[in-house]
Amino acid sequence: MNGLIETLRQAVGANHVLVDGDLSAWEQDWRKRARGKALAVVRPGTTEEVAQVVRACAAAATPIVPQGGNTGMVVGSTPDDSGRAVVLNLTRMNRVRAVDAANLTITVDAGCVLQTVQEAAEAAGYLFPLSLAAEGSCTIGGNLATNAGGTQVVRYGNARELCLGLEVVTAQGEVWDGLSGLRKDNTGYDLRDLFIGSEGTLGVITAATMKLYPLPRATLTAWAAVPSMDAALALLGLAHRHLGAGLTGFEVMGQFALGLVVKHMPQLRVPFQQESAWCVLLENADQESEEHARAQFERLLEAALEDGCATDAVVAENIAQARALWHVRENIPLAQAEEGLNIKHDISIPVSRIPDFCAETDALLKREIAGVRLVNFGHLGDGNLHYNVQAPEEDDMQAFLREHEERVNALVFDQVRKFGGSISAEHGIGTLKVGKLPHYKSPVALKMMRAVKDALDPQGIMNPGKVLLP
Ligand code: FAD
Ligand code: 2HG
Ligand code: ZN
C-alpha cells in the first residue's frame, strides 16, 4: 500500500494526500451515524489528477469513495471501517469554468459549492434555482450524484432536470467529456442520466453544465397556518391555480418539527406554531412586478381563508422578512440534530394520497411505540415528505435505534409501498438503505442496475457497499 500512497502523492502533491491525524471530517457522515476509516484522503485539483488517482486505485484494486461537501444524509460519502478505501474529496476543484449567457448555461467544476454556483449565476444576471439548506457546503458534484431536490423542485425540477452535460472520470480512469450545453441530443443512450443519482458508484463527476434561468422580477414569500394535511393539499391546488408557473416553493411543516426550531433556536420567530397543526411556506416568483406578485398572493390567500384551507396567513413585506421565514424552514434539520438522532424517511408519495398515508401511518406508529414523536415536514409541492421518527421524550436515542429502527423502517416503508411511493425521494440509498432496496424495488429494475454497474465498474471499486450490495 505504501507504493499506492507514493503514486497518489506524485499525482496530486504530498500536501493533498492525508493519511495521519484527525480525518474525522472526511471519515464521518454529517449526521454522525457512522465513522469509517480511510486508507487516505486524496484531494485532487484537476480532472487529470482525478484520472491519475482513479487509474492508480484501479491498478491496486483499491476502493474509491467520491466525496463532495460530505453533507449527504444516507452515509454515502464516507468509507467503511476496513481502512482500505481512498476518499476522493473534490472540494479543491471549485472553479466556475464558464457562463454562456446566450445558451443560458453555466459550466462548473464538480467541487464548486452550490452557493458559489448560485452567486456566479446571479452575478451574470441569471438564476440557478437549485436550493437546499446545505447549499453553503454541499457541492454541485454531490448534488448531481444524489440527484438532489430541495425547495424549488415544484417549478424547476431536481438536479437531473437542471443538468445538460457532465464530465466524468470513469472507473478505469478515462475522461469522458460530455459537457454539452445542448438541450436536444438523441444520439443513443443517455449516459449523463446514468451518472446522475448514481451516488459515486459508477464514476467520478468532475464538471457539469447546468441550466440558467432569467432572474424573476419579484420573489415573494408567504406563511400560512393550515389545520390539516387535507387542507395543505387544498391550498396547494389553489396555489397552482392562482400562481401557475410562479409557484416556486411549497413547503409543509408539522407543529412538532417547528416546535423543535422554537426549542433549539429561540432567537427565530415562528409564526402560528402554537395554534396550528401545520404551517405552509409558499414562494411566488413573478416576471412582471412586485405589485403583480403581491396582488396574486393576496387573491390566493383570500380564497384559502374563505375556503378554510388556511386559518391565518402572512406575506413577507420585504426581503429580510422573507429570509427569516425561509430560515425557520431551513433550520428544521439542524433543530432535529440538536434534539438527537432520529430515524429519517425521505419518501415520496403521489401528492393526492399524502393525507391518507399520514393518517394511517401516524396511527400505526403511535400504536406500535407509545410516546413516539413524528417530525414531519417537507416539499409537499412535489410529493416529498421527510417523515422522521424521534424517540419518546425521555428515551435514550441510541437504545431506541437499536430496539426500534428496523421495525419502524419496515412499517413506514411497507406503507410507502402500499401508497405507491418511493423509499428515497431525494437523499438516495447510500449505506443506510442499501439493505432495503431489494425489498422495495422491482427485481427487473435491480437486475438492470446490476448490469450497468458491472459494465461500467467491473472491478467494483467505485463506492462499494453503497446503493447495490455486491
Ligand atoms: P456528499 O455528501 O459528499 O456525497 C453524497 C453522495 O454523492 C455520496 O454517495 C458520494 O460518494 C457522491 N459524490 C459526491 N461527489 C461526487 C462526485 N463528484 N462524483 C461522483 N459521486 C460523488 N438533499 C436534498 O436533496 N434536498 C434537500 O433539501 C436537502 N437538504 C439538506 C439539508 C441539510 C442541512 C443537509 C446537511 C443535507 C441536505 N440534503 C438535502 C442532503 C443532500 O444529499 C446534500 O446536501 C447534497 O446533495 C450532497 O452534496 P455533497 O457535496 O455534500 O455530497
Ligand atoms: C430538508 O428538506 C432536507 O431540509 C433534510 O432534505 C431533511 O433532515 C431531514 O430529514
Ligand atoms: Zn428535503
Side-chain angles (χ1 to χ4, degrees):
M1 278 306 145
N2 283 345
L4 174 61
I5 300 288
E6 198 37 50
T7 312
L8 296 174
R9 285 185 176 131
Q10 278 164 17
V12 303
N15 285 347
H16 303 304
V17 179
L18 315 178
V19 286
D20 302 316
D22 179 9
L23 301 183
S24 54
W26 299 276
E27 290 178 335
Q28 186 169 45
D29 71 302
W30 186 86
R31 294 177 59 210
K32 301 190 169 52
R33 291 251 16 201
R35 169 80 195 260
K37 173 94 193 79
L39 175 69
V41 175
V42 180
R43 306 183 67 229
T46 63
T47 301
E48 185 42 41
E49 287 181 11
V50 174
Q52 285 182 45
V53 170
V54 173
R55 285 198 293 271
C57 290
T62 292
I64 299 168
V65 181
Q67 187 180 74
N70 195 17
T71 65
M73 292 280 184
V74 290
V75 193
S77 51
T78 47
D80 65 14
D81 55 12
S82 66
R84 289 187 57 236
V86 162
V87 171
L88 184 63
N89 182 287
L90 277 288
T91 51
R92 279 185 62 231
M93 290 181 60
N94 57 8
R95 261 184 336 128
V96 173
R97 294 192 187 178
V99 174
D100 183 341
N103 201 38
L104 284 175
T105 52
I106 184 167
T107 299
V108 297
D109 282 353
C112 252
V113 167
L114 173 54
Q115 196 174 326
T116 307
V117 184
Q118 296 165 344
E119 286 167 0
E122 195 169 344
Y126 295 95
L127 171 75
F128 179 61
L130 187 65
S131 177
L132 43 121
E135 64 200 19
S137 47
C138 65
T139 63
I140 203 78
N143 300 148
L144 286 163
T146 56
N147 188 24
T151 55
Q152 303 279 297
V153 175
V154 66
R155 165 70 176 85
Y156 298 101
N158 45 26
R160 184 186 304 283
E161 268 103 42
L162 296 171
C163 180
L164 291 174
L166 291 180
E167 179 187 84
V168 169
V169 170
T170 68
Q172 292 74 35
E174 292 173 307
V175 180
W176 170 49
D177 181 351
L179 281 179
S180 158
L182 299 177
R183 278 152 220 269
K184 296 181 117 178
D185 177 8
N186 283 350
T187 52
Y189 305 145
D190 196 331
L191 299 173
R192 170 197 61 194
D193 271 354
L194 272 184
F195 288 98
I196 298 174
S198 66
E199 300 183 50
T201 62
L202 300 180
V204 184
I205 298 169
T206 48
T209 299
M210 308 298 291
K211 291 182 192 169
L212 295 176
Y213 289 83
L215 276 170
R217 286 254 164 78
T219 303
L220 292 186
T221 303
W223 184 282
V226 297
S228 64
M229 192 52 106
D230 276 308
L233 213 64
L235 179 57
L236 175 63
L238 279 180
H240 278 307
R241 279 201 293 284
H242 280 259
L243 308 180
L247 179 66
T248 48
F250 194 97
E251 298 286 310
V252 71
M253 297 152 286
Q255 190 171 42
F256 181 67
L258 288 173
L260 292 179
V261 175
V262 171
K263 178 173 169 190
H264 295 290
M265 284 103 184
Q267 74 281 12
L268 300 184
R269 213 180 67 74
V270 184
F272 317 134
Q273 188 272 329
Q274 293 284 335
E275 61 264 29
S276 188
W278 297 92
C279 288
V280 167
L281 184 56
L282 304 98
E283 192 182 78
N284 180 18
D286 194 83
Q287 286 305 350
E288 225 173 289
S289 65
E290 179 165 341
E291 294 70 48
H292 182 254
R294 222 168 259 289
Q296 268 190 325
F297 243 167
E298 272 159 21
R299 277 197 296 275
L300 159 65
L301 294 172
E302 266 168 31
L305 292 168
E306 206 166 287
D307 176 85
C309 61
T311 53
D312 216 337
V314 284
V315 181
E317 290 293 329
N318 50 43
I319 292 174
Q321 282 181 13
R323 279 307 324 145
L325 293 174
W326 274 107
H327 206 52
V328 170
R329 160 63 185 90
E330 285 162 359
N331 268 286
I332 295 175
L334 303 170
Q336 281 176 114
E338 286 294 315
E339 185 74 4
L341 274 176
N342 58 43
I343 306 175
K344 284 195 187 298
H345 304 104
D346 151 49
I347 56 179
S348 57
I349 309 276
V351 175
S352 51
R353 305 192 73 189
I354 285 181
D356 287 345
F357 169 86
C358 286
E360 224 182 79
T361 313
D362 289 7
L364 280 172
L365 275 168
K366 286 178 178 161
R367 201 171 65 208
E368 191 82 358
I369 306 165
V372 77
R373 298 177 297 165
L374 302 178
V375 192
N376 287 350
F377 63 102
H379 319 286
L380 187 65
D382 33 283
N384 176 188
L385 271 191
H386 296 305
Y387 192 88
N388 299 339
V389 177
Q390 195 105 29
E393 186 134 27
E394 304 307 326
D395 278 23
D396 171 65
M397 195 59 208
Q398 291 294 350
F400 178 79
L401 286 177
R402 276 194 303 277
E403 195 179 337
H404 298 293
E405 185 165 17
E406 276 302 309
R407 207 155 41 103
V408 166
N409 282 338
L411 190 152
V412 174
F413 292 153
D414 285 354
Q415 285 289 104
V416 168
R417 174 164 48 201
K418 178 175 161 189
F419 281 84
S422 163
I423 66 165
S424 174
E426 55 177 12
H427 296 163
I429 299 300
T431 51
L432 275 191
K433 292 180 206 147
V434 71
K436 298 282 170 287
L437 203 58
H439 300 288
Y440 296 102
K441 196 152 176 109
S442 123
V444 181
L446 283 169
K447 203 162 78 179
M448 289 191 279
M449 281 171 64
R450 167 55 60 194
V452 170
K453 169 78 177 166
D454 291 345
L456 295 189
D457 177 25
Q459 281 197 99
I461 57 168
M462 292 308 309
N463 220 0
K466 320 285 169 38
V467 185
L468 288 172
L469 287 170

